[in-house]
Amino acid sequence: MCDGVALSWREIPDELIGKHGLQRRLVKRGEEADREVQFLQRDRQPVLPVWAGGQLWVWTWGPGAQSRLPANCCCNNESLEAGRWSWLEPEPVEIPASYVWHKGVWYQSVGGIRGILVYDALGIPHVYVLTQPASHYYKVMTRSDRMPVFLGDGI
């Protein structure tokens, strides 16, 4: 699955950093490393960067305080394809990520991950990470049975 993503601060417009208070999420992996913004599911108000309609947005990750939306932060690709999310009229989105975090393991992401965008009863956007059964490599690396649906070459 996915517990967090990190994206180079250079890939996020300054206005989004200011508007969403992303300065407090800035970290540096090492002295020579570039700063990156971490988006973690465990944050008090989890959000994700999302490419939709040719623009980068920062939207709520998972249901937030809306109890009528699915309670988790991920969507099984199999359930999406079976139509179990159709009542929410999901839209495909891309979640840019330089790194992805799952079960305490940060790993590099080549193209980011796929997600879906749904709207709550008030019209507020919410993003869910799409997941699929884990590859053998991913299972060994994270001890997880599920992994994100990767864009491009994945990991």
Side-chain angles (χ1 to χ4, degrees):
M1 293 202 325
C2 177
D3 298 321
V5 301
L7 187 61
S8 170
W9 70 278
R10 296 173 193 275
E11 295 185 45
I12 303 172
D14 290 338
E15 59 270 13
L16 282 183
I17 290 176
K19 178 180 178 181
H20 296 284
L22 301 180
Q23 303 89 333
R24 69 182 189 280
R25 297 172 186 255
L26 282 171
V27 296
K28 238 178 142 176
R29 290 185 188 273
E31 195 171 305
E32 300 295 319
D34 199 13
R35 291 182 298 168
E36 58 193 44
V37 180
Q38 289 185 350
F39 301 88
L40 304 176
Q41 177 58 37
R42 69 179 184 202
D43 287 338
R44 192 169 54 86
Q45 294 178 330
V47 295
L48 279 174
V50 177
W51 278 105
Q55 187 173 344
L56 186 65
W57 303 86
V58 175
W59 285 326
T60 300
W61 184 0
Q66 300 298 319
S67 60
R68 300 189 86 198
L69 293 176
N72 53 6
C73 63
C74 297
C75 169
N76 292 350
N77 199 38
E78 303 89 332
S79 68
L80 180 69
E81 290 175 354
R84 292 189 200 108
W85 288 68
S86 61
W87 63 281
L88 290 168
E89 301 177 12
E91 301 171 23
V93 294
E94 297 181 357
I95 301 165
S98 305
Y99 293 91
V100 179
W101 184 48
H102 186 56
K103 288 194 170 182
V105 177
W106 280 104
Y107 56 89
Q108 211 166 9
S109 170
V110 176
I113 53 183
R114 295 192 185 281
I116 59 167
L117 170 66
V118 299
Y119 293 89
D120 64 21
L122 300 174
I124 297 170
H126 297 260
V127 179
Y128 289 79
V129 173
L130 272 181
T131 66
Q132 63 188 349
S135 66
H136 175 73
Y137 173 77
Y138 194 87
K139 282 182 187 178
V140 170
M141 181 174 69
T142 65
R143 300 165 315 280
S144 180
D145 291 331
R146 302 219 36 103
M147 67 185 219
V149 176
F150 295 103
L151 296 166
D153 294 331
I155 54 175

